Amino acid sequence: MEKLTGLKKIKTAVFISGTGSNLKNIIKFSKIKKSPISIDLIVSNTSKAKGLSFANQFKIKKKIFNFTNFKNTEKNILLLLKKEKIKFICLAGFMKILSKDFIKKFDGKIINIHPSLLPKYKGLNTHNRAIKNKDKFAGCTVHHVTAKLDSGKIILQKKIKITANDNPTSLAKKILKQEHKLYPASIIKLFS
Ligand code: GAR
């Protein structure tokens, strides 16, 4: 990953689909001096994403793309990223799977956070699956995005204990708290 030169931060887009708690956390992190990135664009696949409100709150450009025509949509996203001079993408609860061609255009420059200890539980319902399987540990992973779902090189991972009282909701809450530490730490690791 390229090193930071001077005070210039790397123009970054965050892709979301939902609440955007990771988005909010990354925006806050981006404003501190030691952050290598600035958040310059928020992309969502749905106007229903609550996290879009952070665009107004932090005065960041936002754009909603509906993915009915996948190929065209990705083409339009790429055009926007170019126009906005975006060099790095953070997926944060983005629930669409980007195509191989799209990823190739941003090779090594897209990262994702996933709520499991990858390679365990790729895909959806990670907390349910961990509890159903009576796992002792769960966690979250920040990894590079490649054409194979949730399979890119791991940047950082955080492990937590699953207690007897945990259910999928309590576990998700505990893990989300860790995600908010792990994402900024991973970005720092990547650019240092
Ligand atoms: C987070 O738990 C994130 O790890 C997960 O969605 C949630 C988004 O929360 N991502 C995935 O499941 C991706 N496969 P947020 O909108 O509050 O950041």
Side-chain angles (χ1 to χ4, degrees), residues 90-107:
C90 294
L91 306 184
F94 183 63
M95 294 315 207
K96 290 280 175 194
I97 299 172
L98 295 166
S99 74
K100 208 196 272 182
D101 285 346
F102 184 99
I103 293 165
K104 225 159 96 195
K105 297 248 163 56
F106 265 79
D107 200 19

Side-chain angles (χ1 to χ4, degrees), residues 18-23 92-95 112-115 123 150 176 179:
T19 314
S21 72
N22 276 291
L23 164 68
F94 183 63
M95 294 315 207
N112 179 44
I113 189 150
H114 185 74
D150 297 331
L176 198 58
E179 292 184 32

Side-chain angles (χ1 to χ4, degrees), residues 8-187:
K8 230 169 147 203
K9 294 190 178 189
I10 296 153
K11 281 183 176 272
T12 298
V14 182
F15 287 24
I16 62 163
S17 299
T19 314
S21 72
N22 276 291
L23 164 68
K24 185 183 183 193
N25 184 60
I26 296 168
I27 294 171
K28 285 191 159 172
F29 161 72
S30 74
K31 293 182 182 299
I32 66 173
K33 203 174 165 205
K34 72 172 177 184
S35 166
I37 63 167
S38 60
I39 305 304
D40 299 279
L41 179 66
I42 297 164
V43 168
S44 174
N45 62 303
T46 167
S47 59
K48 294 196 180 102
K50 283 200 187 131
L52 284 168
S53 66
F54 298 122
N56 304 335
Q57 188 180 329
F58 293 98
K59 300 195 171 33
I60 297 169
K61 185 168 186 161
K62 67 166 187 244
K63 183 89 183 165
I64 299 148
F65 289 92
N66 97 39
F67 276 69
T68 41
N69 180 331
F70 212 97
K71 225 175 169 176
N72 258 339
T73 302
E74 285 196 331
K75 208 176 96 189
N76 290 331
I77 296 176
L78 284 168
L79 283 173
L80 177 64
L81 295 174
K82 196 169 179 187
K83 185 170 158 242
E84 299 298 324
K85 299 187 168 56
I86 299 294
K87 302 286 185 241
F88 189 64
I89 299 172
C90 294
L91 306 184
F94 183 63
M95 294 315 207
K96 290 280 175 194
I97 299 172
L98 295 166
S99 74
K100 208 196 272 182
D101 285 346
F102 184 99
I103 293 165
K104 225 159 96 195
K105 297 248 163 56
F106 265 79
D107 200 19
K109 304 278 198 289
I110 312 177
I111 65 173
N112 179 44
I113 189 150
H114 185 74
S116 81
L117 294 171
L118 289 174
K120 245 187 167 182
Y121 309 133
K122 295 170 185 175
L124 300 175
N125 301 317
T126 55
H127 310 109
N128 278 297
R129 286 148 79 197
I131 286 185
K132 227 176 171 176
N133 285 341
K134 302 194 177 0
D135 287 358
K136 289 201 164 52
F137 297 97
C140 46
T141 307
V142 175
H143 63 94
H144 285 281
V145 172
T146 60
K148 222 170 150 205
L149 182 70
D150 297 331
S151 299
K153 195 171 169 225
I154 290 171
I155 301 161
L156 282 178
Q157 199 162 58
K158 175 71 184 178
K159 194 172 169 179
I160 63 155
K161 257 197 173 139
I162 302 179
T163 63
N165 298 329
D166 270 326
N167 57 47
T169 311
S170 69
L171 188 58
K173 211 170 152 188
K174 279 204 282 194
I175 291 176
L176 198 58
K177 214 169 150 191
Q178 295 305 321
E179 292 184 32
H180 296 162
K181 293 182 192 161
L182 197 70
Y183 221 143
S186 302
I187 293 166

